[in-house]
């Protein structure tokens, strides 16, 4: 089955980004496909490579990048939401790309299920 | 319809809203409690009756990793079905539509 | 339009698949950005020729309240956008009766004509959707 | 003690928690409703009685710019005192301690 | 320590003023970061020789629940930090009775010894503070 | 009177940053002093100069910078919260500085009132 994922909150502040990651990992382990992970609202803050959490904590941004690299997952950051929050191409972590909201609607059309993680 | 709630029933009215709608037409609906909503799956508190009532018409699931994180593993109401992240994925695959009550 | 739709050309967007999309609005305007950014998704969805509807439940019904004046809080008043939805062929606006009544509001207090449905009717509509996105 | 609440009473239980504590010892306490909490200062809804009860022991203020932004300017409960940002500053200056109920 | 305290040397931090600081915790752990980051402020405040207390109300009482195991959610378990507070001379921990009871919890379910007070007693303590910071 | 201000949420997502700004402006107009504005939790996201909201919307970051410049206000971003969220010195807007949590406690001690704006 093909899942589309919507992440609506930033890393650390809300558990949404953690739960979304665990869901995606579990779906892949079960042999499902991930059509796209779309980051909207404060979710765009998952994508900045400047993030540096304490060493004894999980690194949410790097975790996404690694997953994208290993499983060839499309991580899309909404351009309008990103501009409002100071996320630009030059601070994007590996595996993320900035694009329009149409990519979310398209994921709703193309994926078998769209699952939202937010606040 | 898989209804997902992630807010504590003591902090927000989300669970109540979700149940108002889900119980009005329970056919094919399920409720999954994740993150801070797992407190609603525990007994001995002021909302236990609400979940017991909901279970009469809608199957109720709770995410085990979130219960364990919060130290609530020994307080789960009988009849609430426990799932891990893999079970969450299965529920999402089994239901045609998924609504996160944000 | 290609930028707004995320670089997806309309030929590609119109893949022939028509799904039922429901955008569920449960939050009040201005206190948080969800109502405004939710509306932005709805407008973009209009370009994809899908079967789009909006449902207003709980504090989401406040988004449609008449008489919003935001000058003093220095935030953009986006309530006129609800009146523009018709021009995007987004005409299915459902409001939950129970939510309206709990807030002492009625149809006359709202910016746009809507269909008022009870919880059971809203639930039936939701169950019939392919994609539900909640803001 | 100036108690500030900024959440809708229909969405969160914050106002109820604030009033539980503030009304247990109302002496010198005031309540200021801002942002989405201004809906609690309006009449004809399900929480009107709660605010009317609170006003018996604690003065209740509401931020006018937030009421106006939300189109609620004609629905304010009689007895709720309206302030602008300057009035908010005055309230903060007049009370020794300020608690935002987040 | 100077980095942690924001470059404020202890001589400067110890300005001679001693205020009553109360940190009010009303949110559950893990669902949001407020409990964890709130605790970080409390620990720093210990360096300033102020009269510090913590109050746990509403879902904040869940922060103190015994038996937290966070391995499966891959988030750091910070509950042992509450046990370390005593070492920072932060010993005034108040828990609201009404909040505990609504959640079916009692003193034995908590990680650390606390003083259980009713709403009226908590309100009296709050009114007596100079600074109240809520997380 | 001297006010200390704590901002706990990011710009646009929650109204907290707007209300805090309006409060500070009104306090200054009434002749009060602002001891410091401290940005904690997602509040640190108020400080990035990469922010670019739509032209018909208010620019929350620039609004803070201008206020700081005109009234010589100390805008302090918590270093620990900033690292967790990818806010670094090189993307800081004018008028902001990064420092430790002690600056918040100090503001509680030095100011006559501490007012928190959050979620």
């Amino acid at each position: 089955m093909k899942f589309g994922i919507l992440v609506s909150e930033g890393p650390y502040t809300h558990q949404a980004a953690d739960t979304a990651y665990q869901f995606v990992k579990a779906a892949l382990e079960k042999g499902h496909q991930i059509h796209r992970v779309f980051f909207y609202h404060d979710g765009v803050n998952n994508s900045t490579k400047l993030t540096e959490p304490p060493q004894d904590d999980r690194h949410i941004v790097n975790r996404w990048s690694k997953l994208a690299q290993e499983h060839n997952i499309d991580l899309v950051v909404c351009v309008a939401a990103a501009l409002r929050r100071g996320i630009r191409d030059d601070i994007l972590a590996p595996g993320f790309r900035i694009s329009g909201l149409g990519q979310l609607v398209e994921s709703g059309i193309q994926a078998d299920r769209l699952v939202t993680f937010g606040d | 319809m898989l209804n997902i709630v992630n807010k504590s029933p003591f902090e927000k009215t989300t669970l109540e809203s979700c149940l108002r709608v889900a119980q009005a037409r329970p056919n094919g609906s399920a409720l999954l409690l994740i993150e801070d909503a797992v407190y609603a799956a525990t007994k001995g508190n002021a909302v236990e009756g609400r979940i017991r009532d909901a279970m009469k018409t809608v199957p109720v699931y709770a995410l085990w990793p979130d219960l364990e994180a919060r130290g609530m593993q020994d307080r789960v109401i009988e009849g609430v079905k426990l799932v891990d992240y893999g079970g969450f994925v299965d529920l999402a695959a089994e239901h045609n539509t998924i609504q996160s009550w944000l | 339009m290609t930028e707004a739709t995320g670089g997806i050309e309309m030929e590609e967007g119109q893949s022939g698949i028509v799904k039922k999309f429901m955008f569920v609005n449960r939050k009040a305007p201005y206190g948080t950005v969800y109502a405004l950014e939710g509306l932005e998704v709805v407008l973009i969805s209009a370009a994809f020729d899908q079967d789009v509807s909006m449902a207003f439940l709980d504090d989401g019904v406040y988004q449609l309240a008449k008489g919003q004046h935001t000058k003093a809080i220095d935030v953009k008043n986006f309530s006129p956008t609800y009146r523009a939805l018709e021009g995007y062929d987004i005409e299915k606006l459902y409001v939950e009766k129970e939510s309206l009544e709990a807030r002492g509001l009625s149809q006359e207090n709202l910016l746009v004509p809507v269909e008022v449905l009870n919880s059971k009717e809203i639930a039936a509509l939701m169950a019939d959707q392919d994609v539900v996105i909640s803001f």
Side-chain angles (χ1 to χ4, degrees), chain A residues 6 8-9 14 36 40-42 79-81 84-85 97 99-114 116 119, chain C residues 3-8 12-13 15 17-19 21 23 27 33-34 36-38 40-41 44-45 48 50 130-135:
Chain A
L6 169 58
S8 298
E9 294 297 330
H14 294 89
R36 177 172 296 148
Y40 195 43
H41 304 306
D42 272 4
V79 59
R84 221 175 241 134
R85 291 164 180 86
R97 66 186 177 94
S99 189
L101 268 173
Q103 299 272 331
L104 169 61
V105 180
E106 198 215 28
S107 203
I109 298 170
Q110 300 296 333
D112 299 305
R113 303 280 186 276
L114 184 71
T116 306
D119 175 37
Chain C
E3 193 191 327
T5 55
I8 297 166
E12 190 188 332
S15 52
I17 306 171
V18 177
K19 284 194 173 180
F21 274 75
F23 295 99
K27 288 176 183 163
V33 83
Y34 303 105
L36 168 65
E37 289 191 331
E40 291 176 359
V41 181
I44 294 291
S45 75
F48 285 81
Q50 302 294 304
D130 297 303
V131 181
V132 176
I133 300 184
S134 180
F135 297 107

Side-chain angles (χ1 to χ4, degrees), chain B residues 1 3 12-14 17-18 20-22 24-25 27 96-102, chain C residues 24 26-27 57-58 96 98-99 119-120 122-124 126-127 129-132 134:
Chain B
M1 167 76 77
N3 298 281
K12 281 200 150 195
T13 56
T14 316
S17 296
C18 168
R20 183 182 71 234
V21 175
R25 191 189 171 282
N27 240 12
N96 288 330
T97 314
I98 297 152
Q99 175 165 11
S100 294
W101 289 76
L102 303 183
Chain C
V24 179
R26 295 186 51 253
K27 288 176 183 163
L57 280 79
D58 299 312
E96 194 204 25
E98 287 78 356
S99 298
S119 303
K120 191 171 183 151
I122 287 273
M126 279 181 181
Q129 302 297 313
D130 297 303
V131 181
V132 176
S134 180

Side-chain angles (χ1 to χ4, degrees), chain B residues 26-55:
Chain B
N27 240 12
S29 274
L31 170 65
L32 171 61
L33 303 167
I34 68 170
E35 300 176 2
D36 285 348
V38 297
Y39 292 117
T42 64
K43 55 193 165 186
N45 61 46
V47 299
E48 179 180 351
R50 188 68 192 91
I51 287 292
R52 289 201 186 268
D53 177 65
M55 284 197 291

Side-chain angles (χ1 to χ4, degrees), chain C residues 42-87:
Chain C
V42 175
L43 293 176
I44 294 291
S45 75
F48 285 81
D49 288 328
Q50 302 294 304
D51 184 356
V52 173
S53 62
M54 293 178 83
F56 296 86
L57 280 79
D58 299 312
D59 280 353
V61 304
Y62 281 133
Q63 294 179 23
L64 301 175
K66 277 183 185 164
Q68 301 176 27
H69 295 288
T70 59
K71 192 156 183 275
I73 63 169
D74 189 23
V75 171
K76 188 188 161 187
N77 178 359
F78 61 94
S79 67
T81 312
Y82 296 99
R83 290 214 183 92
L85 287 168
E86 212 188 344

Side-chain angles (χ1 to χ4, degrees), chain A residues 19-20 29-30 43 45 60-61 63 72 75-76 94 96 102 107 117 119:
Chain A
T19 308
E29 280 164 12
K30 283 186 170 272
N45 293 326
I60 294 181
V61 177
R63 221 168 47 175
N72 196 24
L75 306 178
V76 179
F96 290 89
S107 203
F117 298 89
D119 175 37

Side-chain angles (χ1 to χ4, degrees), chain A residues 18-30:
Chain A
D18 289 289
T19 308
Y21 171 82
Q22 299 297 344
F23 181 94
V24 167
K25 212 167 58 125
L28 291 167
E29 280 164 12
K30 283 186 170 272

